[in-house]
């Protein structure tokens, strides 16, 4: 493994002041899936996926003594329809970390097991029934906070989890508990929270230990075939505490955008770092230091997904001003960030149901856990996390919370800096798989993403019409088309 302790200088730094808009919130809903009294709950919505009928499935952890995994169905307007718990009768799962559709468009959940293995469970999305399951290679007996995985084109999985102070990465074939290859990044990378495939390679983002209980950002690029590490780079003080995820995407220029937080003047701010794909060198960083005219105390952004001609990310901002009450108090709020294709934070939205809460003497912030976001088929964004509530017994808001969803229509300020590609059409749509994408000018590139934001297809072109074939992958997709001076986006439905 190639080691690098060098802290790279950034070629450009942008500290941005952004605006807030709350009018775009479509709805926000709280879901209580626990048997416990309100002061003792610690349930979380950790994952979301859109269903073919326009509704959503969410999953996470519920407090039912002991903790159990759950999956729930909500309607397009956020109303709760049903919930299914996966307790001892369903294998004793303690949490649902991720919902996704595999290469065959079948619904799976990554479940945390009490017995040291992650279970990949095929699910019926109409009622939550378990259809079948297989286990990954042996991992730690508990605590899957640091978990990332991706499925390769041939059906194999690459899984990363944290054990003690090292990140373990394994490639394995479904149903076979013996890993094809394994790497232990002891002393180098302690947490991988995001993983994407880039051609024949894998790129992983996470963080490493650093002095004073802070963490440095780390990005690793390795071969998917055998795990050979091409490079690992560390970036000083570009991560937050251990419960924060690190977002990772590839932009249209082929560079990687990494969403986390950055240190400046002894504070940590939401940030997006752009790094070169060939060697990991840092190219630029965008930091959010103020919001709505007020300075931030701390914050982060993660879970990057494509949206418009750029990306959005879920995260948190914490400042000495509460947008909801117009009073000066420390308030941690769930946030959504709009990010350009070049990695600049362009806009931020605070969702005020997160905090403040009263701890008996002062108002303080409630940090947001389990955050993720998806781009929906109606061009909105759904943010998943945890909210707070009032405890009736003593009149103060608990530090714990219930599952929370917020649907928001963010302004795409700056995300459409290129003019719209004239005459952009996709036909037929819906389709059985083969689609012709046309425009009035030359198309140079087409990129197709699935609903989780993973890139499934990229084509370079030099024509006004490009044919793509998704017949082997039924589902809902989003596409980005780039011309010389313009670009455009759209949605594809493949039956």
């Amino acid at each position: 493994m190639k080691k690098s302790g060098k802290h790279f200088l950034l070629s450009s730094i942008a500290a941005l002041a952004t605006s807030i808009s709350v009018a775009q919130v479509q709805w926000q809903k709280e879901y209580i899936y626990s048997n416990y009294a309100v002061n003792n709950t610690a349930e979380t919505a950790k994952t979301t996926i859109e269903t073919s009928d326009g509704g959503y499935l969410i999953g996470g952890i519920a407090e039912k003594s002991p903790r159990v995994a759950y999956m729930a169905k909500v309607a397009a307007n956020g109303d709760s329809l049903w919930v299914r718990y996966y307790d001892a009768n369903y294998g004793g799962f303690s949490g649902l970390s991720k919902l996704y559709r595999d290469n065959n468009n079948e619904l799976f959940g990554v479940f945390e097991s009490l017995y040291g293995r992650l279970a990949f469970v095929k699910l019926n999305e109409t009622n939550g029934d378990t259809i079948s399951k297989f286990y990954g290679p042996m991992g730690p007996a508990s605590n899957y906070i640091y978990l990332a995985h991706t499925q390769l084109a041939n059906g194999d999985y690459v899984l990363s989890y944290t054990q003690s102070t090292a990140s373990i990465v394994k490639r394995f074939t479904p149903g076979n508990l013996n890993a094809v290859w394994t790497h232990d990044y002891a002393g180098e990378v302690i947490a991988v929270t995001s993983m994407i495939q880039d051609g024949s390679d894998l790129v992983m983002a996470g963080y490493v230990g650093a002095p004073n209980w802070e963490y440095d950002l780390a990005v690793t690029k390795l071969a998917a075939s055998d795990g050979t590490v091409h490079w690992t780079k560390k970036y000083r003080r570009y991560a937050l505490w251990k419960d924060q995820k690190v977002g990772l995407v590839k932009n249209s220029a082929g560079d990687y955008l990494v969403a986390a937080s950055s240190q400046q003047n002894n504070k940590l701010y939401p940030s997006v770092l752009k790094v070169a794909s060939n060697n990991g060198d840092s190219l630029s960083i965008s930091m959010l230091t103020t919001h709505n005219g007020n300075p931030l105390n701390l914050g982060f952004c993660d879970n990057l997904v494509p949206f418009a001609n750029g990306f959005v990310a879920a995260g948190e901002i914490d400042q000495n001003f509460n947008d909801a009450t117009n009073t000066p108090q420390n308030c941690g709020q769930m946030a959504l960030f709009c990010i350009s294709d070049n990695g600049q934070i362009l806009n931020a939205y605070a969702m005020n149901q997160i905090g403040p809460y009263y701890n008996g003497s002062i108002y303080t912030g409630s940090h947001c856990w389990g955050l993720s976001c998806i781009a929906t088929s109606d061009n909105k964004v759904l943010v998943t996390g945890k909210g707070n509530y009032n405890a009736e017994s003593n009149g103060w808001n608990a530090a714990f919370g219930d599952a929370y969803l917020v649907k928001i229509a963010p302004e795409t300020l700056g995300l459409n800096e290129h003019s719209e590609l004239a005459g952009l059409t996709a036909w037929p749509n819906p389709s059985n798989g083969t689609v012709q994408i046309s425009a009035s000018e030359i198309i140079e590139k087409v990129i197709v993403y699935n609903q989780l934001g993973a890139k499934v297809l990229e084509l370079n072109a030099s024509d006004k019409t490009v044919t793509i074939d998704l017949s082997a992958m039924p589902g809902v997709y989003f596409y980005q088309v780039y011309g010389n001076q313009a670009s455009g986006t759209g949605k594809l439905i493949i039956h």
Side-chain angles (χ1 to χ4, degrees), residues 1-18:
M1 179 176 184
K2 181 180 178 180
K3 296 185 178 180
S4 174
K6 183 178 180 181
H7 297 151
F8 294 91
L9 297 177
L10 301 173
S11 60
S12 64
I13 296 179
L16 302 178
T18 64

Side-chain angles (χ1 to χ4, degrees), residues 18 166 190 199 204 214 300 316 327 389 401 412 444 451 462:
T18 64
I190 65 168
M204 306 185 304
E214 295 175 333
F300 63 86
E316 178 184 332
T327 55
Y389 46 82
T412 56
E444 296 184 345
Q451 291 186 90
S462 182

Side-chain angles (χ1 to χ4, degrees), residues 404-420:
Y404 223 103
L405 294 184
V406 181
K407 191 171 185 180
I408 186 170
E411 295 174 355
T412 56
L413 176 64
L415 294 182
N416 294 308
E417 62 268 16
H418 295 134
S419 61
E420 185 70 18

Side-chain angles (χ1 to χ4, degrees), residues 49-53 56-59 70-74 81-86 90 93 96 98-102 105-111 120-133:
I49 196 168
E50 189 172 9
T51 56
S52 58
D53 60 3
Y56 306 98
L57 294 171
I58 63 175
Y70 76 89
M71 183 172 72
K73 174 68 180 292
V74 301
L81 299 178
W82 53 259
V83 60
R84 171 63 60 88
Y85 300 98
Y86 302 92
Y90 290 89
F93 300 124
L96 174 56
K98 187 176 182 180
L99 288 166
Y100 70 100
R101 288 190 171 90
D102 71 353
N105 199 41
E106 294 178 320
L107 179 67
F108 273 81
V110 182
F111 283 82
F120 293 73
V121 182
K122 185 177 177 181
L123 297 164
N124 184 334
E125 68 178 66
T126 62
N127 57 17
D129 282 353
T130 59
I131 299 174
S132 61
K133 60 179 177 285

Side-chain angles (χ1 to χ4, degrees), residues 39 357-360 363 389-398:
N39 270 348
Y357 68 87
Y358 189 63
N359 70 359
Y363 283 95
Y389 46 82
N390 290 319
E392 298 178 358
S393 61
N394 56 14
W396 66 299
N397 289 352

Side-chain angles (χ1 to χ4, degrees), residues 245-259:
K245 294 179 290 185
V246 178
L248 175 67
V249 292
K250 183 180 179 181
N251 69 2
S252 62
D255 299 317
Y256 304 129
L257 304 182
V258 188

